[in-house]
């Protein structure tokens, strides 16, 4: 098989996402920041306290610090890339009283110039995700600024 520039860029993009994921796991926040564009946007769907569009590196880092406090376990299913996007599919599970999670998730990363520009989350059961995050909201360390009052549920 001939190695093309597109293959090289796709592999580079995968390595950027691997770096973000590895640094997230090891809580290396400087390493995470190095993968993000200054004007990155990270969209989390739903109607729970962590949902919404995080705009800019500082907002994304604040979101990831809060998210890291949740005992969410993951198992990679698929990681695929091209010259602009990386798709990361994984199974994620977290025990929590009556609102435990065990779902499939997808993160779609858009990259440019070796940096993550945009991330979008997708899940196999958004209602379960909303209930889960509402159920643990008040017990999250570092959740200052989150509105843990029910809205729409």
């Amino acid at each position: 098989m001939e190695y093309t520039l597109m293959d090289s860029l796709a592999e580079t993009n995968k390595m950027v996402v691997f770096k973000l994921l590895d640094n997230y796991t090891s809580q290396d926040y400087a390493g995470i920041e190095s993968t993000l564009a200054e004007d990155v946007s990270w969209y989390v769907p739903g109607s729970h306290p962590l949902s919404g569009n995080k705009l800019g590196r500082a907002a994304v880092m604040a979101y990831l610090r809060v998210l890291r406090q949740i005992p969410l376990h993951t198992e990679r299913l698929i990681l695929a890339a091209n010259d602009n996007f990386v798709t990361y599919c994984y199974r994620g599970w977290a025990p929590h009283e009556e609102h435990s999670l065990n779902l499939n998730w997808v993160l779609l990363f858009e990259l440019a110039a070796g940096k993550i520009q945009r991330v979008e989350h997708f899940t196999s059961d958004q209602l379960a995700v909303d209930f889960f995050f509402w159920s643990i909201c008040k017990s999250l360390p570092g959740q200052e600024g989150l509105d843990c009052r029910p809205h729409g549920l």
Side-chain angles (χ1 to χ4, degrees):
M1 177 175 181
E2 186 175 319
Y3 193 70
T4 66
L5 181 58
M6 183 174 159
D7 293 333
S8 177
L9 189 52
E11 289 303 311
T12 299
N13 287 344
K14 274 197 225 180
M15 295 312 295
V16 171
V17 171
F18 277 134
K19 181 178 178 182
L20 174 121
L21 297 172
D22 288 345
N23 289 328
Y24 178 79
T25 299
S26 66
Q27 298 184 52
D28 177 355
Y29 294 106
I32 293 170
E33 284 189 66
S34 73
T35 67
L36 302 174
E38 185 66 37
D39 61 346
V40 64
S41 69
W42 193 301
Y43 179 71
V44 180
S47 60
H48 58 80
L50 295 180
S51 65
N53 201 13
K54 304 353 175 186
L55 299 173
R57 192 181 292 152
V60 169
M61 293 304 298
Y63 162 72
L64 293 175
R65 281 186 171 94
V66 172
L67 187 65
R68 188 67 183 93
Q69 303 304 312
I70 299 166
L72 183 64
H73 307 281
T74 63
E75 173 189 15
R76 182 180 340 137
L77 302 174
I78 300 167
L79 192 129
N82 65 21
D83 58 345
N84 296 312
F85 295 94
V86 174
T87 303
Y88 173 55
C89 303
Y90 65 98
R91 184 175 74 90
W93 67 97
H96 185 72
E97 300 167 6
E98 72 275 8
H99 295 297
S100 294
L101 283 180
N102 189 352
L103 304 169
N104 291 323
W105 307 70
V106 175
L107 292 175
L108 178 63
F109 295 89
E110 183 175 6
L111 292 93
K115 299 284 185 181
I116 297 168
Q117 301 290 318
R118 184 170 54 103
V119 182
E120 292 183 47
H121 279 246
F122 302 91
T123 182
S124 59
D125 188 343
Q126 187 60 56
L127 187 58
V129 171
D130 288 339
F131 277 110
F132 174 79
F133 282 108
W134 278 116
S135 72
I136 67 168
C137 179
K138 291 184 173 147
S139 65
L140 284 177
Q143 54 80 32
E144 295 80 16
L146 292 179
D147 182 359
C148 290
R149 294 170 296 165
H151 58 79
L153 291 180

